[in-house]
Amino acid sequence: MASGIGVIIVILVIYVLSGLKILNEYERAVVFRLGRLAPYRGPGVAFILPVVERMVRIDLRTVTLDIPPQDVITQDNVTVKVSAVLYFRVVDPSRAVTEVANYLFATMQLAQTTLRSVGGQSELDDLLSQREKLNARIQEIVDAQTEPWGIKVTIFPLPIDLLEPFRAIAQARANNAESGQSETKK
């Protein structure tokens, strides 16, 4: 009988210890109790009932996403390679988990689409001379779209590869000059 109680106590201690989770200052635990959302927990020690509750860790620090170079055709039909870096942070961990399947991927795709869209609505001169205005516009659009997901976009700097449009312009001029020379020879 005493050994049976000892086994039960050992199992109970293992059960309790397996439910203890330590969350850093910058982390929150979104908890699902039998599939239903419970209030998020953290930082510090959090107890998750094994089998009954499931925990998803969310990092509240600022995330830096490198947006790969996007080919953008401006209003004046110049192809420009535009790349950017997106800085954002999770402000509501529960919504970041429940409103979108993968908030990192969704934010990246939204930023790429917005970058191409806003760049396509601008002329090359605007891209080069009014970058801060375009940065603010893109940031405003992405922030408004990610707000229901519990995400706040903080910075969206827009560096532009300036060599590509000038290479395209130089190539077009060279082609025009070459076609003009071939016509004069005829």
Side-chain angles (χ1 to χ4, degrees), residues 121-133:
Q121 296 170 1
S122 306
E123 292 186 2
L124 178 62
D125 187 42
D126 293 339
L127 282 176
L128 299 175
S129 64
Q130 298 179 1
R131 280 196 352 216
E132 284 75 27
K133 183 178 175 185

Side-chain angles (χ1 to χ4, degrees), residues 166-176:
F166 294 119
R167 283 188 198 137
I169 292 170
Q171 183 67 37
R173 286 182 181 163
N175 290 343
N176 286 342

Side-chain angles (χ1 to χ4, degrees), residues 5-121:
I5 293 175
V7 170
I8 291 174
I9 290 175
V10 168
I11 291 174
L12 187 61
V13 167
I14 292 173
Y15 180 80
V16 168
L17 289 177
S18 69
L20 288 178
K21 307 295 181 192
I22 298 175
L23 299 168
N24 293 320
E25 183 66 35
Y26 54 84
E27 292 178 322
R28 298 297 179 267
V30 177
V31 178
F32 293 94
R33 184 176 300 124
L34 298 175
R36 303 274 312 194
L37 182 66
Y40 65 85
R41 301 177 190 158
V45 177
F47 183 72
I48 306 299
L49 293 171
V51 180
V52 175
E53 294 181 332
R54 183 176 63 89
M55 179 185 88
V56 178
R57 283 182 194 256
I58 298 293
D59 194 333
L60 298 182
R61 296 179 291 184
T62 299
V63 176
T64 305
L65 281 180
D66 184 30
I67 308 296
Q70 303 293 311
D71 288 328
V72 175
I73 300 174
T74 62
Q75 271 189 337
D76 47 356
N77 292 325
V78 177
T79 302
V80 183
K81 272 208 183 299
V82 180
S83 61
V85 179
L86 176 67
Y87 296 91
F88 70 91
R89 54 189 289 271
V90 175
V91 293
D92 187 346
S94 297
R95 290 191 338 200
V97 172
T98 60
E99 296 296 323
V100 64
N102 182 342
Y103 71 90
L104 287 169
F105 182 73
T107 304
M108 167 84 87
Q109 295 301 309
L110 180 62
Q112 287 178 1
T113 303
T114 306
L115 182 61
R116 286 191 302 268
S117 174
V118 170
Q121 296 170 1

